[in-house]
Amino acid sequence: MRGYLLFLIIGFCNADDFSSLRFRAPNQTSTANGHGPQLAVDGDLSTCSQTSGPGEWYIPLKGVAVINDVQIEVSSGSLGRLIHQAQVYAGEVFCGEIIYKAGTTSFSISCDGIPAGIIRIRQQFSALSICEFKLSGRRVLGYAGLLHNIAPGHNTWMSSVAHGGEAARSNDGNTNSLWSQASCSHSQYNYNNTWQVNLMFEYSIDRVVVHHRRDSGTGKYINGMEVHVGEMMCGKIHYIPNVFVYSVKCPPGHRASSVKLVQNHDYMMQCEVQVLATEGSMEHVKEQVGPLLSVDFPTDQSTTNGVYRSALAVDGNT
C-alpha cells in the first residue's frame, strides 16, 4: 500500500504527489509567553506552541485533502500533559480524542480518509501546547465530498427537561461537555427519553456525532442510546469507559429531514449533536433558500478574542 506523508515545512511526496498542496499560516485562539502557533510547524521539537487557556490550534489548507492521520508531538516535560483530552477535527468531522500517557510524546489520530480544508486541535479543559504537527493524506480536487454540520440553528424538541437543560443546547454549536458551561441537555426522567432536530429539508446524511456529558460520572448514561435518521435507526451507542464522543454512520446516500435520539433506559445528557451531511446534498437547499456559506471553507482573522474564532462567521448559525 502506498503511503503519503506531508511535513508542513519540509515535505516530500510520491507519484500521486502533494506538490500543489499548500497550507496557510497556522493560528490559535490565544498565545502564552510568545509561544505562537507557527512553532508547531517549524520542524524543531524543542519549540512548542501554547495557548494561554482552553482553546484551539488550527491550520487551513489551500484546497482540500483526504486526511488519513494527524500526528502530534508534545513536550517531554510538564507541558506535554496539556494534550490530554484534546480533540482532533478534520473540517467539522471529529477524528478522535488524545489520551495522554506519562512518558509518551507522540500521538497519532486517524481521520479515516475524511476530506477537509482545515485541521483543528481543540482543548476545552486546559491550555494547549503542540511541539510538532504532521499530516498524512492526499490531495483531491473539488469540494463535493466535504461534510457539513447542518444541525445548528434548527428547531429541536425533547420529551422532558430538567435543571434548565433545554433541547436547544444540543445543537448550539458548542461541543463543551461540562455541565458548568451550560451547553448540555438534561432529561427529567431516566426512561423513555427522546430528543429530535428537524432539518426542514432532506439531506444525504453521512453520520451523526454525539458529544456526551463527561463530568460527575455521567458518561455511562449514553449506553444504549439509539440514533434514528428519518425512519431508519442508523445505530446504537455502546458506552466505552472514558470515551465521550460517539460517531454513528448511516448507509451511503441515506436521506432524511430529521434526526432523533432515543434513550429508553437512562437519563439523556448529550451536550452536542452534530448531523454531518455531504455538500452535494445541499444543492437543492441552495436552490430553495439561496446561496449558503460553506462552513468548511478555510477562514482566518488577524486576532481572536477568547473562543470567538473566525470560523464562527460561516458556521450557518446566525
Side-chain angles (χ1 to χ4, degrees):
M1 180 180 292
R2 291 174 299 174
Y4 303 86
L5 182 62
L6 176 67
F7 293 87
L8 299 187
I9 301 302
I10 304 174
F12 80 93
C13 34
N14 65 9
D16 291 327
D17 70 22
F18 282 107
S19 59
S20 60
L21 183 61
R22 296 291 184 270
F23 293 83
R24 300 180 189 275
N27 210 334
Q28 57 191 20
T29 50
S30 62
T31 297
N33 303 319
H35 297 292
Q38 73 282 356
L39 296 180
V41 292
D42 63 356
D44 185 350
L45 287 173
S46 67
T47 61
C48 309
S49 67
Q50 185 182 346
T51 63
S52 59
E56 179 178 298
W57 182 96
Y58 56 96
I59 187 164
L61 286 70
K62 291 184 177 179
V64 174
V66 169
I67 309 301
N68 293 332
D69 297 285
V70 172
Q71 184 175 343
I72 296 173
E73 305 281 346
V74 301
S75 169
S76 58
S78 59
L79 287 180
R81 300 187 184 95
L82 297 178
I83 201 66
H84 183 56
Q85 295 182 320
Q87 297 178 340
V88 178
Y89 286 79
E92 295 183 66
V93 181
F94 173 79
C95 296
E97 183 169 299
I98 296 171
I99 303 300
Y100 175 77
K101 296 180 180 179
T104 302
T105 58
S106 181
F107 301 89
S108 183
I109 295 292
S110 173
C111 291
D112 295 326
I114 292 295
I118 191 168
I119 305 297
R120 303 182 186 278
I121 317 297
R122 295 177 179 171
Q123 176 55 282
Q124 56 181 314
F125 304 110
S126 68
L128 175 65
S129 178
I130 300 172
C131 296
E132 201 64 22
F133 169 91
K134 299 174 184 177
L135 179 69
S136 68
R138 59 184 174 82
R139 181 176 180 269
V140 294
L141 298 176
Y143 287 80
L146 291 178
L147 297 177
H148 299 275
N149 178 20
I150 56 174
H154 287 292
N155 291 331
T156 57
W157 173 83
M158 197 168 174
S159 54
S160 68
V161 175
H163 311 296
E166 301 291 341
R169 287 186 174 186
S170 291
N171 69 327
D172 61 0
N174 185 354
T175 59
N176 194 297
S177 54
L178 298 179
W179 179 255
S180 61
Q181 300 304 303
S183 187
C184 300
S185 298
H186 195 308
S187 68
Q188 183 174 354
Y189 307 108
N190 62 350
Y191 58 89
N192 297 341
N193 292 303
T194 301
W195 178 92
Q196 181 168 317
V197 58
N198 297 313
L199 303 170
M200 296 180 62
F201 301 97
E202 277 197 351
Y203 298 86
S204 180
I205 297 175
D206 180 83
R207 69 191 70 189
V208 176
V209 181
V210 181
H211 296 251
H212 198 261
R213 184 179 169 187
R214 67 173 70 209
D215 54 345
S216 304
T218 55
K220 62 185 179 181
Y221 294 147
I222 199 171
N223 191 52
M225 179 180 283
E226 300 173 358
V227 178
H228 297 255
V229 177
E231 299 300 317
M232 175 183 290
M233 187 177 82
C234 288
K236 181 180 288 189
I237 295 173
H238 300 282
Y239 172 66
I240 302 172
N242 299 315
V243 174
F244 304 98
V245 184
Y246 295 85
S247 182
V248 177
K249 288 270 292 180
C250 291
H254 180 60
R255 301 180 67 86
S257 60
S258 65
V259 170
K260 180 170 63 177
L261 305 182
V262 177
Q263 176 55 288
N264 288 320
H265 308 293
D266 224 321
Y267 290 101
M268 183 171 272
M269 295 186 186
Q270 68 279 355
C271 298
E272 191 69 16
V273 180
Q274 297 172 315
V275 180
L276 298 173
T278 58
E279 184 168 278
S281 72
M282 300 168 67
E283 291 303 318
H284 68 291
V285 179
K286 294 180 182 180
E287 293 174 1
Q288 297 182 61
V289 301
L292 300 177
L293 288 173
S294 175
V295 293
D296 195 33
F297 276 67
T299 61
D300 205 353
Q301 60 190 25
S302 57
T303 60
T304 299
N305 182 6
V307 298
Y308 300 106
R309 51 189 174 82
S310 60
L312 296 179
V314 291
D315 64 356
N317 185 356
T318 58

